[in-house]
Amino acid sequence: MASTTMPTPPTAAIKPKQLVSPHGTRTDNYYWLNERENPQVLDYLKQENAYFDEKMAPVKGLEEKLFNEMKGRIKEQDESVPFRDNGYYYYTRYELGGEYPLYCRKAGNLQAPEEIMLNGNQMGQGKSYFAVGGYEVSDNNEVLAFGTDTVSRRLYTLRFKNLKTGQAYPEKIANTAGSAVWAADNKTVFYAKKDVTTLLPYQVYRHTLGTDPAQDVLVYEEKDNTFGVNIERSKSRRYVGITLHSSLSSEYRYLDASKPTGQFKVFLPREADHLYEVQDANGQFYIRTNWEAPNFRIMASPVTNTGKGQWEDVVPQRDDVFIEQMELFKDYLVLNEREEGLRQLRVINFKDEVGHTVDFRELAYTTFIGANPEFDTPLLRFTYTSFTTPSTTYDYNMATHKLALLKEQPVLGGFNKVDYVTERTFVKARDGKLIPVAIVYKKGFKKDGTAPVLQYAYGSYGLSMDPTFSAARLSLLNRGFAYVLCGIRGGQELGRQWFEDGRMLHKVNSFNDFIDCSQYLIKEKYTTPAKLFALGGSAGGLLMGAVVNMRPDLYKGVIAAVPFVDVVTTMSDASIPLTTGEYDQWGNPAEKKYYDYMLSYSPYDNVKAQKYPNMLVLTGLHDSQVQYFEPAKWVAKLRATKTDNHLLLMHTDMEAGHGGASGRFKALHDVARQYAFLFLLLGQKSAM
């Protein structure tokens, strides 16, 4: 539904650049759009934003209505469920009208006076973007280390605050990963620094509180730029650990937290295709590992000898169950497992090695281990949610098997979960594989092909997409939409092999799976191509780009958020953030077989003269993961090539990055904008 003024879409200047590779030469007419500081580039992005505003003008009122509706479902004065750590109860809370949380604690019990450690509203005031990366309190509970980002590049400045006096320490440490890890002496911290170009954390420094950061000691530097660095304190508080990780390989180094100037020991040197993580309990190390166990197993080793020859099975590998996460307590091992595409919790008592699962009764749901910093406790904190159940926090007594409901996230505005229906099915892909699919809609939805459907998937990096509640999504469901979540290959919904079958030289399986799910929805009369919409972001934006090249006829409209669409060019440039760490996902185009395969599906390279669906492309100027110029180039090429008159809109947030706007209400504007686009295409300018 175009506006009557019919403005002319912006046109990006064509400036051909030859991209030469040993495996072929490509011509990129829009390569110049990567010049972030070029006034001509900024002018083009602003023109696209102005065009977006003009074309979306007919539903501007609806967009505002949707935003207010979504905001109206949020309990503005709200707080998280407190968790206990080292004698204090920690929680975050929101004030009326506040965009950012307050980070708080109480000593001893919940009736104690509140201490506000950080006030996000004050810290973020006057800033176009603000985020706290993480915070850690020293063992004596007196000093807070925290990181902040005001650009949305995920480069955090590390600060310190005396919680007894409220005074800030003078040092500011720039370009960190966002948080620090305390040693046991209450004055030494370890932190990871990022490469400001690639944004990869690659160095670990030791800092002494109150000293000049220029004197900080480099204790580890990762030379392999396919690996990232993470630093942590073990739950027992006995060790400081450095985890070095790539997609398919990892390494753990550890240091006695009471000896911060000592040398880190290597637990097990990295090996190709070996992922492992380490925790300690009761004088042993426990290892979650895929060594000879594709779906992972749990093993244990003595602290004195961590070689593989000393490892013993605690929970063996199972072909039908994927071990996703482990949590250790003094008396219990807790596993977050995935079976037939659904997460479950299994509790194993160390004393008798008897295990049991926590029972959940919904058809499609997800559950995950929450904040459990306490080691010697029978209580397991976990979160449960589904399409129809808001995020719900429980404490589960692992000894008595009693479940205590602590909080179900309130949803204002008359929400009643019984008004909505969830379905779960498996769709047969073209090669016979069964794709897990979850569907939600409001009662009264008719499967006669007349209803609109929004289909979502991701399918990369082994990240599984699970059914979760969204208060904002109610604005679609209440207006007749069904929402469909597809667990396509590339995630780990059905175990490690599901991930393997959707990466590298098998990536096209992800795209085929999504298309096959679309055809199922049409065949089963959930919708028709005239009312089927697709949504994906980041690597899910790559999915959108590939799908519209392959089967543009299946969709009325497609939303691609921060889409990774220029695969060959990006993966050929090691200076672009995160590129080198992703060779295990897409392949290294320096090798011909990967170059050719990427080129066969890269959305930007495969734009052709054909009809495309209506499209909305979203990006952020400061995006740290998918650079803004990928979607900008893609849109420019689509405009110059496609043969239809369908809407092609791009919106660039000139102040935000990969995660969109900061603040709980600002972020809702992004969602309202997307939903308004859908209703514009349906001709519903008011949409009730």
Side-chain angles (χ1 to χ4, degrees), residues 44 105 228 361:
Y44 170 68
R105 69 176 186 172
R361 302 188 185 279

Side-chain angles (χ1 to χ4, degrees), residues 136-140 143 145 158 160 171 180-191 205-211 216-217 219 231 233 240 255-262 264:
E136 296 290 338
V137 178
S138 58
D139 287 15
N140 63 6
V143 186
L158 197 61
F160 302 91
E171 58 259 49
V181 172
W182 290 93
D185 63 0
N186 301 302
K187 65 179 183 180
T188 305
V189 295
F190 296 88
Y191 63 90
Y205 282 88
R206 185 177 71 234
H207 173 75
T208 302
L209 194 64
T211 65
D216 288 356
V217 178
V219 297
I231 186 157
R233 181 83 175 270
V240 174
L255 171 71
D256 187 326
S258 66
K259 301 173 182 176
T261 58
F264 280 83

Side-chain angles (χ1 to χ4, degrees), residues 408-425:
E408 181 174 294
Q409 185 61 37
V411 180
L412 308 183
F415 166 72
N416 188 339
K417 65 179 71 176
V418 301
D419 293 338
Y420 302 87
V421 177
T422 297
E423 295 181 10
R424 189 165 189 265
T425 189

Side-chain angles (χ1 to χ4, degrees), residues 304-321:
T304 52
N305 186 344
T306 61
K308 272 185 182 176
Q310 302 298 313
W311 295 11
E312 294 184 352
D313 263 343
V314 177
V315 180
Q317 138 89 12
R318 288 157 292 166
D319 291 338
D320 58 343
V321 177

